[in-house]
Amino acid sequence: MKNSKSCSSVGTLYNLSAIRMTEYNVSKFLNSTKISRCVSVAFPITMMITGMVGNSLALLLVYRSYRNKADKRKRSFLLCIGSLALTDLSGQLLTSPIVISVYWADLEWERIDPSGGLCAFFGVCMTMFGLCPLFLASSMAIERTLAITCPLWYANHMKTSITKSALALISCLVLLFALLPIAGVGKYELQWPGTWCFIDTGDRDTLGNVFFSTTFAVLGIFSLLVTVFCNAITIRFLLTRCRTKPGSSQTAKQWEKLTMETVIQLMGIMCVLVICWSPLLILMLKMILTQRSSHLCKTNVVPSSCGQDPKVDCNFFLTAIRMASLNQILDPWVYLLLREILLRKFCQMATAVSNFSKEGHKEPAGTLDALNKPAIDNDITEKQ
């Protein structure tokens, strides 16, 4: 009897252990399935390739136009665009290969960075190449506002040397800010799903971490507000100037077309910046206030619904950082390439429809064909 009871108990324990092992394997399989659905190496590879192509084309166009410029007043705008494209390209080249390497290492950051130094480098790059494009966009918005609203002052005071100094100052200040965690103020932490490092928003024990993370979010929001404000002033000035010009002269018609083109471009710039950056910056402020951070999400214990957790929505934070990185891809198209390829054709069609509705006939072909010139070589002069 004792032997039979002991055998039955052993069999029961064996069955329980087998059931638990099966449940563990199923849970592990489901977790890995959730990870594969939420994160994929296709995202960083696609973003790296598209970012490299777009920013490389923008750099080539800017370099060609800058060398052919006889008017020095046009070089400030080109320097700003070139700096933006170079910054976005550098950010892609320095961060995307690391992310792809982590994916190839089965999402185990420690395999490629046992010392933790690469995580700090990645965090510096994310901060540096995150704030720089925002500040450069603000600088371009200010430059464009001065060039259009105050053309005489702009022509007399805006020198190429001043633009170069301002761009260098922005890069140096942002780099110094990004290096603060290396100096002990703030902290960079590995973020979910373990493929990238960024500012830790939930650690209040590290010296200056709340100050560092809050300053990053506030500076980003401030630069967005400056860009939107300056572009709104420029759009208002252009529309007011367009209404005051007589509508019968050839110059007035050309001004109307250029006004429509510039307004559409500025609206596109504002929409891209706000859509790409607002989710990340607002979510960072929310996570700072609630003392949460996405590094609490572990790849080996994936919360339900692809990284959703009652404390922090890990998957949404990953989506927000991808949207911010998407801005690096869209920048050259919004500022330069889209203007060259599509924007003028769209404005021609819109102007023709507008004139047809007002005057009862279409715009003469010669007037519309005047806008087929490349926009890079006469951008600021046409706006003035």
Side-chain angles (χ1 to χ4, degrees), residues 47 92 126 276-277 320-330:
M47 295 178 70
Q92 291 282 340
M126 291 290 291
C276 289
W277 277 100
I321 199 67
R322 282 175 173 171
M323 291 182 64
S325 301
L326 184 64
N327 185 68
Q328 298 177 335
I329 300 173
L330 297 178

Side-chain angles (χ1 to χ4, degrees), residues 288-350:
I288 292 169
L289 293 176
T290 57
Q291 302 183 31
R292 305 301 179 190
S293 180
S294 73
H295 75 83
L296 298 175
C297 308
K298 304 298 183 182
T299 56
N300 57 346
V301 183
V302 181
S304 60
S305 300
C306 283
Q308 292 182 355
D309 184 83
K311 298 180 180 180
V312 56
D313 190 341
C314 308
N315 192 48
F316 184 73
F317 191 69
L318 178 63
T319 304
I321 199 67
R322 282 175 173 171
M323 291 182 64
S325 301
L326 184 64
N327 185 68
Q328 298 177 335
I329 300 173
L330 297 178
D331 274 341
W333 296 96
V334 174
Y335 281 97
L336 202 61
L337 301 178
L338 181 62
R339 180 186 178 96
E340 282 292 304
I341 298 173
L342 300 176
L343 194 56
R344 286 184 175 272
K345 297 298 180 183
F346 176 81
C347 291
Q348 291 174 22
M349 295 174 59

Side-chain angles (χ1 to χ4, degrees), residues 168-225:
L169 180 63
I170 290 174
S171 300
C172 292
L173 291 178
V174 173
L175 178 59
L176 291 176
F177 175 78
L179 291 174
L180 285 179
I182 308 300
V185 180
K187 181 181 179 182
Y188 291 123
E189 185 71 33
L190 185 65
Q191 307 291 332
W192 187 85
T195 57
W196 58 293
C197 292
F198 194 51
I199 301 171
D200 187 1
T201 56
D203 188 358
R204 292 182 178 266
D205 298 329
T206 303
L207 176 64
N209 189 62
V210 176
F211 165 78
F212 180 70
S213 55
T214 305
T215 303
F216 177 89
V218 171
L219 287 176
I221 294 176
F222 175 75
S223 63
L224 284 179
L225 293 177

Side-chain angles (χ1 to χ4, degrees), residues 239-259:
L239 295 178
T240 303
R241 181 76 177 275
C242 187
R243 294 192 190 100
T244 57
K245 280 182 172 292
S248 58
S249 64
Q250 186 76 10
T251 303
K253 293 179 181 179
Q254 292 180 353
W255 178 268
E256 182 180 354
K257 294 178 179 66
L258 294 172
T259 298

Side-chain angles (χ1 to χ4, degrees), residues 41-54:
V41 71
F43 285 100
I45 291 178
T46 303
M47 295 178 70
M48 182 180 69
I49 294 175
T50 53
M52 289 176 59
V53 172

